[in-house]
Amino acid sequence: MYGKCTRYRVKGIPGVKDRSFDALQDAKTWLAQAQTDARRREFVDPRHGAISLKDYVATHWWPSQSGDPSTIQRIEQRVRRHILPHLGAQPLNAIGAEVLRHWKKRLEKDLGPTSIRLVWATLSSILQAAVEDRRLGRDPCRSSTVGLRPPHLAGSKHGRPNGRWRYGPPCRIATNSFS
């Protein structure tokens, strides 16, 4: 049938005007998930994550930062030098595993593991704030996907390289029970 399209529109979700899908099953799946999230008060309107990282940092995240001036200056340098030039134009909801993998590879060309960890933590704090502002459903920096975790956690279990304790097992505190 020429010139005729079949789309499925979902309406009635708080905060979402409507949304359309090519397949009926996709529409039903999205609707069920959105209704569950709305009942839990965890629903994140996808349109709120369409703001660019640069705009989010400038208007929402940066004004809320406080602390020691030298610390704030170092954070500002990390954001200005290593985060915004590469990820600033990306919408918040477009920053995912693939984008972070490419960004991390780019950082590895110029920075050492400690610096990468600091820059990664800064981006993670920005994205975690976006989660708390209900612009993202989750922080993609906290993904357990191989290659996304910062160097000190890659290939480790709970921060322990190869699942072993760096300086031996943790101390066990003996307790005496007096009866």
Side-chain angles (χ1 to χ4, degrees):
M1 295 179 3
Y2 179 75
K4 200 167 191 177
C5 296
T6 303
R7 303 264 311 155
Y8 300 91
R9 181 167 287 174
V10 177
K11 292 184 178 185
I13 301 299
V16 177
K17 187 174 178 181
D18 63 351
R19 183 144 181 209
S20 65
F21 296 87
D22 291 327
L24 178 61
Q25 188 57 44
D26 292 343
K28 286 180 178 181
T29 302
W30 187 85
L31 177 61
Q33 183 64 47
Q35 288 173 333
T36 301
D37 289 347
R39 277 192 297 274
R40 292 181 187 156
R41 298 182 184 256
E42 296 175 358
F43 181 75
V44 175
D45 186 345
R47 295 173 297 181
H48 292 170
I51 186 173
S52 72
L53 178 64
K54 181 179 179 180
D55 290 342
Y56 179 76
V57 166
T59 59
H60 299 284
W61 185 78
W62 191 250
S64 69
Q65 298 305 298
S66 63
D68 180 57
S70 62
T71 302
I72 295 296
Q73 182 181 11
R74 287 190 299 270
I75 291 170
E76 188 269 334
Q77 284 178 342
R78 286 193 293 265
V79 170
R80 186 175 35 84
R81 290 181 183 172
H82 304 294
I83 296 174
L84 294 183
H86 306 289
L87 301 174
Q90 294 280 335
L92 290 175
N93 56 13
I95 299 173
E98 186 175 344
V99 171
L100 291 175
R101 275 190 209 102
H102 291 296
W103 175 65
K104 185 176 171 240
K105 281 191 181 262
R106 187 175 293 168
L107 289 178
E108 288 171 345
K109 292 178 183 176
D110 300 325
L111 301 174
T114 302
S115 296
I116 292 172
R117 249 192 327 270
L118 291 169
V119 172
W120 188 277
T122 302
L123 177 63
S124 183
S125 73
I126 293 168
L127 297 178
Q128 186 58 41
V131 169
E132 292 165 5
D133 291 345
R134 301 184 56 82
R135 292 182 177 273
L136 291 176
R138 63 177 185 78
D139 174 0
C141 287
R142 295 184 178 191
S143 174
S144 62
T145 305
V146 176
L148 287 183
R149 296 162 72 184
H152 76 292
L153 294 177
S156 71
K157 182 178 181 182
H158 307 293
R160 299 184 312 256
N162 302 321
R164 296 187 186 121
W165 295 99
R166 187 172 184 179
Y167 302 107
C171 297
R172 293 206 181 359
I173 299 173
T175 58
N176 293 328
S177 58
F178 298 103
S179 316

